[in-house]
Amino acid sequence: MANENPKDLYDQVCNNIYHQINGRGRLYKTIQIIVGEKQSHEQEKTKKICDYFGIKSYANKDEDKEIINDLLDGILKNASIDNVIANIAKVINKGVNMEWIFVAAAFTFVGLFLYKQTLDKKEQGKIKPAVQEIKEQPIFQPPIPADLCLVVPASIASNFINRSNLRIEEVTYLIDNAYYFLCTTVKVPDSKNEEYLKTTDETILPDSRREVYIRININDGGNMIDKKIPYYLKTNLPLQAQCTVKKLACLENLSGLEKFNRI
């Protein structure tokens, strides 16, 4: 493929656009043609470019010329830095017909805007990893306490008469030996469940045939709440949880356990 002479290409493009721009908004119309939106209703690219540089679709020739003059001032001021842009400025200054200046300026505006988008994407690429790193940080959630309510044989419960704090393996042992169980939020046992239980003040003896009710507060037992199977109680019991005995009493009978899960 033969190389296109830049001057010939410029003349070809300008001659193609030249006859299509007239009346108000010439600079706006030129940019429309360059980005291929002359026949489009949305004109998204045109609006983005023109809004950025303050180019109006209804501007008269003098208003467009004022915007072009601002562009030229910037180009000529930095001519020693960017020879390519300086050469474009020279072409614009030599234009005898104003429409040629519109075409050259419009191409420059489009090029500047596209390059700005490239720079913006690079800056966003630098910021994005930091944003992702922030998103990946876990959100701290305070532990949710729970009350584990169990009905166990007196022979098992007698080992915990004078105990207030339990180890995790001891709680697991109690779950394994429970007849009934229920794990709820801390307010439920007092208000809804325990009021139906008939407890006694008698001493819990290891050889007693009584069933014993024991309520254990677990400071981080949120995942245990409403579990219906003992296995899931144990697997959701945190290894570092603090377990405190809140109530320990013999049951007169097994009435009032309707809401409990039976094993």
Side-chain angles (χ1 to χ4, degrees), residues 6-7 10 71-72 74-95 100-101 103-105 107-108:
K7 183 179 182 304
Y10 178 76
L71 172 66
L72 287 175
I75 291 174
L76 295 174
K77 181 180 179 181
N78 298 291
S80 59
I81 299 175
D82 196 334
N83 291 328
V84 175
I85 296 180
N87 288 332
I88 295 174
K90 291 177 183 178
V91 173
I92 294 173
N93 283 328
K94 289 180 180 179
W100 288 66
I101 298 177
V103 174
F107 271 107
T108 306

Side-chain angles (χ1 to χ4, degrees), residues 242-255:
Q242 297 176 8
C243 306
T244 307
V245 177
K246 291 297 183 180
K247 188 166 184 176
L248 186 67
C250 280
L251 291 174
E252 184 177 324
N253 54 52
L254 297 180
S255 62

Side-chain angles (χ1 to χ4, degrees), residues 94-153:
K94 289 180 180 179
V96 177
N97 195 316
M98 193 65 190
E99 276 69 18
W100 288 66
I101 298 177
F102 283 134
V103 174
F107 271 107
T108 306
F109 280 125
V110 172
L112 288 172
F113 185 80
L114 292 177
Y115 185 63
K116 177 189 175 297
Q117 287 185 321
T118 301
L119 290 178
D120 289 345
K121 288 180 180 178
K122 288 182 179 179
E123 290 300 319
Q124 289 175 358
K126 294 178 182 178
I127 298 172
K128 191 174 181 180
V131 174
Q132 288 179 339
E133 185 177 341
I134 293 173
K135 288 183 178 179
E136 290 172 0
Q137 292 180 353
I139 299 174
F140 173 76
Q141 293 183 344
I144 299 174
D147 272 353
L148 176 62
C149 306
L150 304 170
V151 175
V152 298

Side-chain angles (χ1 to χ4, degrees), residues 30 54 58 74 79 86 148 187 190 232 242 253:
T30 306
Y58 52 82
L148 176 62
K187 293 182 179 180
D190 287 332
Y232 294 119
Q242 297 176 8
N253 54 52

Side-chain angles (χ1 to χ4, degrees), residues 168 171-172 175 218 224 232-239 241 243:
I168 297 299
V171 176
T172 301
I175 294 172
I218 301 171
M224 301 172 65
Y232 294 119
L233 285 179
K234 294 186 289 183
T235 55
N236 285 285
L237 175 60
L239 296 177
C243 306

Side-chain angles (χ1 to χ4, degrees), residues 28 31-38 40-53 55 109-110 113-114 117:
Y28 187 95
I31 292 174
Q32 264 186 325
I33 297 169
I34 292 172
V35 299
E37 290 185 340
K38 184 182 179 183
S40 174
H41 294 291
E42 295 182 359
Q43 301 179 8
E44 182 180 352
K45 295 178 183 177
T46 304
K47 288 180 181 178
K48 284 184 179 179
I49 296 170
C50 292
D51 288 347
Y52 184 78
F53 292 108
I55 299 168
F109 280 125
V110 172
F113 185 80
L114 292 177
Q117 287 185 321

